[in-house]
Amino acid sequence: MTERRTGTAGLALMIGALGVVFGDIGTSPIYTLQTVFDPDDPHPVPVSTANVYGVVSLVFWSVVIIVLVTYVLLAMRADNDGEGGIMALITLLRRTGSSRGRRTTAVLAALGIFGASLFFGDSMITPAISVLSSMEGLKVVQPSLDSAVVPGTAAIIVVLFLVQRRGSAAVGRLFGPVMIVWFTVIGACGVRGIVDHPQILRALWPSYALGFLVGHFGTAFFALAAVVLAVTGAEALYADMGHFGRRSITRAWLFLVFPACVLSYLGQGALILADPHNISSPFFLLAPGWGRLPLVILATAATVIASQAVITGAFSVASQAAQLGYLPRLRIAHTSESTVGQIYVPWINWLLMVSVLTLVFAFRSSAALAFAFGMAVTGTITITTLLFFYLARARWHTPVWLITVGATLLLTVDLLFVAANVTKLVHGAWLPLLIGFTAFTVMTTWRRGRKIVTAERERTEGPLRGFVDQLHFREVPAARVPGTAVFLNRGSLTTPLAMRANVEHNHVRHEQVVILSIETETVPRVPDDQRTTVDNLGYAEDGIIHVTARFGYMETPDVPAALALLDPADTEGQLRLDQASYFLSTIELRCGEAPTMARWRKRLFIATSHITADAAEYFGLPRGRTVIMGSQIEV
């Protein structure tokens, strides 16, 4: 019975993964070959039998090498407590770096942050190009519908971002069956094309890809900038690993997604061989005339799901970036009790929505966005490959010869794609680089500023036990007043700023003082009997205690409820929680004259601090009895 339940749960995760993870890479057949042979491309690929075989073979082997080998077989083995993506690699890198060269670790971590920054660019471009490409199928059905493409795309995108709050599991359950239909249909359409021209199956042989790349390098090199569209979404597979797990993603890829995409590419190649005019829209022309409108509708649903893959990936990257100190504390809603990685980040959601809509109205076609797309994808893939092989040697002690062979082969492929996309800089590839550099600047500035502020704050706070010693021996004069005061603090080592200010400036302390730290565990819920731990800080009768409250990732921290669970025997008397005052320590940041950062970076750091989640609301504190005491720190 347990095995059956486990099997059912695994099947549900696979369906959910199909509905979230594979939308991006699964809809690449819509526009990849069309873009390769686009006559308006600055470096067009002439339509000929040899070129069609070469391009289809390049597409197939690119998917095998980058998606199957780099991500499914290698990178997805490197997880951080189940979480994947480039931020997980950075976490593992920093843990390994304690025993390696600090400079090497710092450089690779910075490179990883830039890769994560490029992924944010991917998260903005993917929804725009995916939904636009499907809506453009309306022009194949009825050319007069051209004017409806952009407004229709915008409406779909708004609805997509509005449903994100329901969580990736709910979205996956809704979209999973749609994607099963999608992959079945595109595979069947591909078979239809292959039956008419079965010789296209020869493109699966690697000699066609190598022959095209070596024999027609000038043409093949520029074609790579469009061929890369076939592997868009590879990083989303890795970044979304925390949502559904490696096993579910791997099985769904091997048994359904990969075969369906390959059949579609082969079918489109056969269609172009039959009539070169089919390059205008080979994906939709594969379907019979009666089936094209239903295919457009299905493609629209699939490209909405394609957007879902990178959106959930962006949530994961942002959450991990905040945990690593590269972004402020963001409000994060956990949407699953069974999978810790299923989250919703409102601030990122709305930022992405505005950015995607801006791209739709600015570029207005998938062809215009295609040149921008590849740069973000290839940059992130190359950095992921580099970090993985470094970790394989440093963390798992993989033999040097194996690292050398594997890294040389995979990085050669990656760098060829990067070089090809660099040629498209003036045609739109500058956009993801601009987004990437902007995100990189924000994240590195926040980390640097946070380090400066933390050091100054710890100096100002001083050690907690030393401060309690001073109160106990009355070295600091402070009158005891009736009541209970709860001071929220980041840990048990330093003194809450609000408590120090109360004693040193107001010369008072409450009869009962609770210094409270909050910890979030990697389980959905924490039982009440494991909720709190009490430390008397060395003195049993002074009325000052430190409490650690633990909450599961699915729980909204409720501080008053957690304190109500405390035993009066542990708290040096009954806490009067109905009248307790809650104190929060806040920091007002100001630009200082110290040469810690450039002035523009100081201003950027201060501006970024304003998106930090509200602590009083997050911890469920009663507004009427919450006192916020601030202190100034110069950056």
Side-chain angles (χ1 to χ4, degrees), residues 114-192:
F114 184 66
S117 302
L118 286 175
F119 183 73
F120 282 122
D122 187 7
S123 303
M124 296 174 186
I125 298 172
T126 293
I129 190 174
S130 298
V131 182
L132 271 171
S133 67
S134 66
M135 291 296 288
E136 286 165 355
L138 291 173
K139 296 186 290 185
V140 177
V141 177
Q142 181 57 259
S144 62
L145 293 175
D146 187 16
S147 60
V149 170
V150 172
T153 298
I156 290 169
I157 286 169
V158 169
V159 172
L160 172 66
F161 281 98
L162 288 177
V163 302
Q164 291 304 313
R165 68 182 64 195
R166 300 191 59 172
S168 56
V171 173
R173 284 195 298 270
L174 176 66
F175 287 162
V178 176
M179 290 308 291
I180 293 175
V181 174
W182 167 257
F183 287 118
T184 303
V185 168
I186 70 170
C189 288
V191 170
R192 183 172 182 264

Side-chain angles (χ1 to χ4, degrees), residues 345-544:
V345 187
W347 198 89
I348 296 296
N349 187 65
W350 305 126
L351 174 65
L352 287 178
M353 186 182 80
V354 171
S355 302
V356 171
L357 289 174
T358 301
L359 292 177
V360 167
F361 287 110
F363 285 83
R364 306 187 69 82
S365 75
S366 60
L369 271 169
F371 300 135
F373 205 12
M375 196 72 243
V377 174
T378 55
T380 304
I381 289 171
T382 304
I383 293 170
T384 298
T385 305
L386 183 63
L387 295 185
F388 173 80
F389 278 107
Y390 178 82
L391 278 172
R393 178 58 188 161
R395 191 177 182 88
W396 304 310
H397 309 294
T398 304
V400 173
W401 70 267
L402 190 56
I403 293 290
T404 303
V405 172
T408 300
L409 290 175
L410 295 183
L411 286 173
T412 298
V413 173
D414 295 346
L415 291 172
L416 270 175
F417 278 112
V418 171
N421 278 275
V422 167
T423 65
K424 306 294 185 182
L425 273 177
V426 297
H427 304 289
W430 57 268
L431 177 63
L433 289 178
L434 176 63
I435 295 171
F437 278 117
T438 301
F440 178 79
T441 302
V442 169
M443 288 198 285
T444 53
T445 298
W446 178 260
R447 180 165 176 78
R448 173 62 181 157
R450 182 174 175 269
K451 206 170 182 180
I452 295 167
V453 169
T454 299
E456 180 60 24
R457 180 168 182 163
E458 288 178 351
R459 187 192 66 78
T460 304
E461 290 175 337
L464 176 58
R465 287 189 179 269
F467 188 71
V468 172
D469 289 342
Q470 291 177 324
L471 288 175
H472 182 78
F473 294 110
R474 303 189 183 277
E475 295 176 15
V476 179
R480 293 184 67 163
V481 296
T484 299
V486 180
F487 295 89
L488 270 72
N489 203 31
R490 295 170 302 148
S492 60
L493 299 179
T494 60
T495 309
L497 284 175
M499 181 180 176
R500 183 176 286 279
N502 219 22
V503 170
E504 293 182 351
H505 297 287
N506 298 329
H507 303 295
V508 297
R509 53 151 291 199
H510 288 73
E511 197 171 31
Q512 292 175 304
V513 175
V514 177
I515 301 166
L516 179 69
S517 301
I518 306 293
E519 292 182 0
T520 301
E521 304 293 330
T522 57
V523 295
R525 301 184 186 279
V526 173
D528 285 348
D529 60 353
Q530 300 174 24
R531 178 77 67 196
T532 57
T533 302
V534 179
D535 180 358
N536 63 16
L537 299 174
Y539 303 99
E541 303 297 334
D542 63 352
I544 303 175

